[in-house]
Amino acid sequence: MLQKVYDWVDERLDITPLWRDIADHEVPEHVNPAHHFSAFVYCFGGLTFFVVVIQILSGMFLTMYYVPDIIHAYESVYYLQNEVTHGLIVRGMHHWGASLVIVMMFLHTLRVFFTGSYKKPRELNWVVGVLLFFVILGLGFTGYLLPWDMKAYFATVVGLEIAESAPVIGGFARTLLAGGEIIGAQTLARFFAIHVFFLPGALLGLLGAHFFMIRKQGISGPL
Amino acid sequence: MSEKKHRVSRRQFLTYTLTGVGGFMAAGMLSPMVRMALDPALEATGDSEFVAVGLGEDELTEEPQIVNFELEIEDAWYTSEQPRSAWIYKDGDEIIALSPICTHLGCTVNWDANEDYPEQFFCPCHFGRFERDGTNVAGTPPTRPLDVYDVEVRDGMIYLGQINQRS
């Protein structure tokens, strides 16, 4: 049945070459854990992406219940966690997954560094990777405020003071991030917008570039 | 079926196992999320509570009178008091409480408000009319009678419950 549907579409649109191009590629022996178990370190990049997918999916579902408003943000998080069936699980996935993304990304960075994979001709991919690192830190920072509890609020107080300590542009950066002089309604609204629209957009674009380059250049050779 | 006829190639075996494991992981990931999204539709809706309207049974007459009261609405993390009204009167021993919402397009009806149609509920929007018992007058826009509240009397006071449709 599925095969027939596929054939019907393929006959008209010739989609096979499209996905074959993406799916068919050699996995060199030195990155295949089936040959050398220590090659599992080459899985960290893929695992980071896997966790990012979980973050995007669970985040999409969380926004069905969350509201970015200082009166109701905490209550809506409390409601989705304690009253909605499986809300606890979905929020848990997003909460723990956030830390896991950072951990996996860090391990991936270490692997790339110690195998020397950042060297010519892959310097650009390293640069994009560092940008991805900042985007993901930004997602962590903005997402931390959203539950609007004590921990969230004071973590953001500290974070914005760090921004303020930057020379010359410090005050400007702080006001821009907070959306005003106090950390309040505008801060929460803009952190929400940055967390669910701006940074994920940047993340997907950079990931596209990251994956395009690794497919174009191939995985770096064995040590 | 003999073993020979049902050979599974290496490629087929890998396709089956990878699809199976992948499907299992995807399902494990997605099922809590989907269940969470479906929650409002799957949650059982309880009958609403009876609320006091601040009117004694002995204050009722055969003449419908409007009573305004507040209903506490729990909307997830937001609780609010919403105004409700009812036209209440006595029909013999029975207490009738009619919803003032016109069954045509939802305007508010008024008792005995139009000189041309005394002793009727009148809707100013499209001139819909209802008899004293809420029955819609044929030839006017509404197609069913006014809805009725569940009525309870506790210690001589009137309590109204949920609104029921009549066909």
Side-chain angles (χ1 to χ4, degrees):
Chain A
M1 175 64 199
L2 269 180
Q3 188 64 41
K4 276 190 175 160
V5 173
Y6 177 85
D7 289 341
W8 191 89
V9 176
D10 194 40
E11 191 186 344
R12 273 140 254 259
L13 295 173
D14 196 25
I15 54 174
T16 301
L18 289 180
W19 68 261
R20 283 256 174 220
D21 239 26
I22 297 168
D24 284 359
H25 63 289
E26 295 280 319
V27 177
E29 195 186 313
H30 74 283
V31 302
N32 188 342
H35 288 278
H36 312 283
F37 182 68
S38 60
F40 72 83
V41 292
Y42 286 91
C43 293
F44 291 145
L47 288 175
T48 311
F49 178 63
F50 179 62
V51 185
V52 164
V53 169
I54 294 180
Q55 290 305 99
I56 291 174
L57 286 174
S58 56
M60 279 165 59
F61 281 90
L62 286 177
T63 55
M64 280 190 174
Y65 291 95
Y66 177 78
V67 285
D69 175 82
I70 55 172
I71 308 281
H72 297 121
Y74 179 81
E75 288 297 322
S76 70
V77 173
Y78 185 91
Y79 178 83
L80 79 86
Q81 178 171 334
N82 296 294
E83 304 290 332
V84 178
T85 309
H86 289 181
L88 182 66
I89 298 177
V90 179
R91 180 163 183 234
M93 288 165 88
H94 206 72
H95 175 97
W96 297 107
S99 298
L100 200 57
V101 174
I102 310 258
V103 171
M104 297 316 296
M105 182 176 58
F106 183 64
L107 292 174
H108 175 60
T109 313
L110 285 183
R111 194 280 295 167
V112 171
F113 183 77
F114 284 112
T115 55
S117 307
Y118 55 87
K119 293 175 185 170
K120 191 185 174 188
R122 299 188 178 77
E123 307 96 317
L124 261 183
N125 220 1
W126 173 269
V127 171
V128 170
V130 172
L131 292 178
L132 276 166
F133 183 80
F134 288 133
V135 167
I136 286 180
L137 285 191
L139 281 162
F141 178 61
T142 50
Y144 209 70
L145 178 69
L146 301 185
W148 200 250
D149 52 13
M150 282 294 173
K151 195 169 65 166
Y153 178 81
F154 285 103
T156 303
V157 169
V158 172
L160 291 182
E161 273 178 29
I162 293 171
E164 197 173 11
S165 69
V168 190
I169 58 159
F172 172 76
R174 192 215 120 96
T175 311
L176 182 70
L177 279 171
E181 289 309 311
I182 58 168
I183 297 171
Q186 298 211 68
T187 320
L188 185 57
R190 97 182 9 222
F191 270 45
F192 179 73
I194 293 170
H195 187 76
V196 306
F197 291 113
F198 292 84
L199 289 182
L203 182 78
L204 291 178
L206 289 169
L207 278 179
H210 209 57
F211 296 157
F212 169 75
M213 281 190 268
I214 194 63
R215 285 309 303 277
K216 190 88 179 169
Q217 301 176 317
I219 295 171
S220 58
L223 291 174
Chain B
M1 198 182 292
S2 74
E3 291 271 317
K4 277 179 191 166
K5 278 182 187 166
H6 201 69
R7 297 279 296 182
V8 175
S9 70
R10 188 188 182 86
R11 177 173 288 266
Q12 254 180 328
F13 174 77
L14 282 172
T15 307
Y16 291 159
T17 45
L18 285 178
T19 312
V21 171
F24 188 76
M25 284 174 70
M29 238 168 73
L30 284 171
S31 56
M33 301 182 193
V34 171
R35 179 58 182 84
M36 181 199 189
L38 290 176
D39 195 55
L42 297 180
E43 206 172 63
T45 49
D47 285 355
S48 56
E49 299 273 299
F50 280 87
V51 285
V53 297
L55 198 67
E57 191 186 5
D58 47 2
E59 293 173 68
L60 295 183
T61 60
E62 302 270 317
E63 187 75 1
Q65 55 176 308
I66 189 84
V67 58
N68 299 305
F69 58 102
E70 301 259 287
L71 190 61
E72 189 168 271
I73 305 284
E74 256 190 56
D75 183 11
W77 54 86
Y78 187 68
T79 307
S80 60
E81 301 259 305
Q82 286 189 8
R84 289 286 147 93
S85 332
W87 287 100
I88 307 192
Y89 64 96
K90 253 185 162 163
D91 184 26
D93 278 342
E94 208 185 349
I95 298 168
I96 313 276
L98 296 173
S99 158
I101 315 256
C102 182
T103 54
H104 175 221
L105 290 173
C107 291
T108 307
V109 300
N110 214 340
W111 171 253
D112 208 13
N114 190 302
E115 288 177 357
D116 297 337
Y117 309 109
E119 299 283 296
Q120 280 188 342
F121 290 104
F122 180 75
C123 179
C125 291
H126 306 95
F127 312 131
R129 288 183 281 134
F130 302 86
E131 302 291 354
R132 175 193 293 266
D133 65 357
T135 319
N136 49 314
V137 174
T140 64
T143 52
R144 60 182 168 82
L146 289 173
D147 298 339
V148 286
Y149 284 92
D150 285 338
V151 182
E152 248 186 45
V153 181
R154 298 180 197 161
D155 300 328
M157 298 299 284
I158 307 290
Y159 284 72
L160 295 186
Q162 75 178 49
I163 299 173
N164 300 306
Q165 238 182 55
R166 298 181 289 180
S167 53

